[in-house]
Amino acid sequence: EVGQWLVAIGLGAKVDVFATNAVSGDMLLELEEEDLKGDLTLTSLQIKKLNKDLEFSKALEDGSAGGGSSSEEDAAKVKELEEEFSKLKMDLSAAEEKNKGLEEELLKLKAPVEEKSDPPPPPPTKPAPSQQQQQGRPVVAGAAGGAARGAVMGAVAGAIVGDAGQGAKIGAATGATGGALRGLGARRGRRRAFG
């Protein structure tokens, strides 16, 4: 009962903590702020929300909430909330099922790629000075290559969660940073080699 109430007021993430501590409805009414913060790990804002909703629930029980609304109105509101809660539970189940299917599909897609992956290339030899001049700017090249790889990986990840465009942007930014860092490392290595 307490768990359902926590979900209804938007504190569903705390259901397990309350259950672990065996908090019943009667016990909840007796808890002090330090109990809520310490043992039940609620933030100050969550405590304010919980207390406000507790007061509202008490007022409903006393029949004084909502400016003296009728029991028919209260019953209709309760029914509406129960229906919304039921719909949210079904949506959650559907989302979890979709997530499971996507995870399985991702594993299937990863398996052939991992099987086909080429053996690592042989370690590079130190280029002669003339080759170094032809290689251009390793930082810019590394950033560009990293951005391209990151955009592709980000788009795939974004497609899985529903926003390929945003995933590509995030992946490109992350890949560009990683590529630039690899390019810096390569440039430092060349400078050391050619002193």
Side-chain angles (χ1 to χ4, degrees):
E1 195 174 298
V2 172
Q4 290 175 344
W5 182 75
L6 287 169
V7 170
I9 67 167
L11 294 175
K14 297 296 182 176
V15 170
D16 290 339
V17 175
F18 276 69
T20 300
N21 288 288
V23 176
S24 65
D26 292 335
M27 180 189 283
L28 181 61
L29 297 172
E30 302 296 322
L31 293 175
E32 307 232 350
E33 186 171 339
E34 64 186 44
D35 300 324
L36 295 170
K37 272 188 180 180
D39 295 335
L40 299 174
T41 67
L42 294 178
T43 65
S44 297
L45 291 176
Q46 290 172 328
I47 292 171
K48 287 179 184 179
K49 178 168 186 44
L50 184 128
N51 286 334
K52 179 181 175 189
D53 288 325
L54 269 176
E55 289 176 22
F56 180 76
S57 295
K58 286 180 190 176
L60 277 177
E61 191 173 295
D62 296 340
S64 62
S69 61
S70 71
S71 61
E72 291 175 6
E73 291 173 352
D74 291 342
K77 183 67 176 173
V78 167
K79 183 176 180 181
E80 179 184 328
L81 290 172
E82 287 174 343
E83 289 172 357
E84 183 178 350
F85 179 71
S86 178
K87 182 184 178 304
L88 289 171
K89 283 176 68 174
M90 288 189 314
D91 289 348
L92 177 62
S93 294
E96 287 174 342
E97 194 63 34
K98 181 179 179 182
N99 187 35
K100 183 179 177 184
L102 289 172
E103 286 176 349
E104 291 172 359
E105 185 177 338
L106 181 61
L107 289 174
K108 288 177 186 176
L109 291 172
K110 279 184 174 181
V113 171
E114 290 173 356
E115 290 174 6
K116 293 179 182 179
S117 64
D118 296 330
T125 58
K126 294 182 182 178
S130 61
Q131 289 177 326
Q132 181 186 14
Q133 292 170 353
Q134 293 173 0
Q135 288 180 358
R137 301 172 177 244
V139 177
V140 173
R149 287 187 298 276
V152 171
M153 289 188 288
V156 171
I160 290 171
V161 295
D163 190 354
Q166 187 65 21
K169 289 177 188 175
I170 292 169
T174 304
T177 302
L181 291 173
R182 283 189 296 278
L184 280 170
R187 184 171 71 186
R188 285 186 183 136
R190 285 190 198 114
R191 284 184 180 167
R192 287 185 190 128
F194 300 110

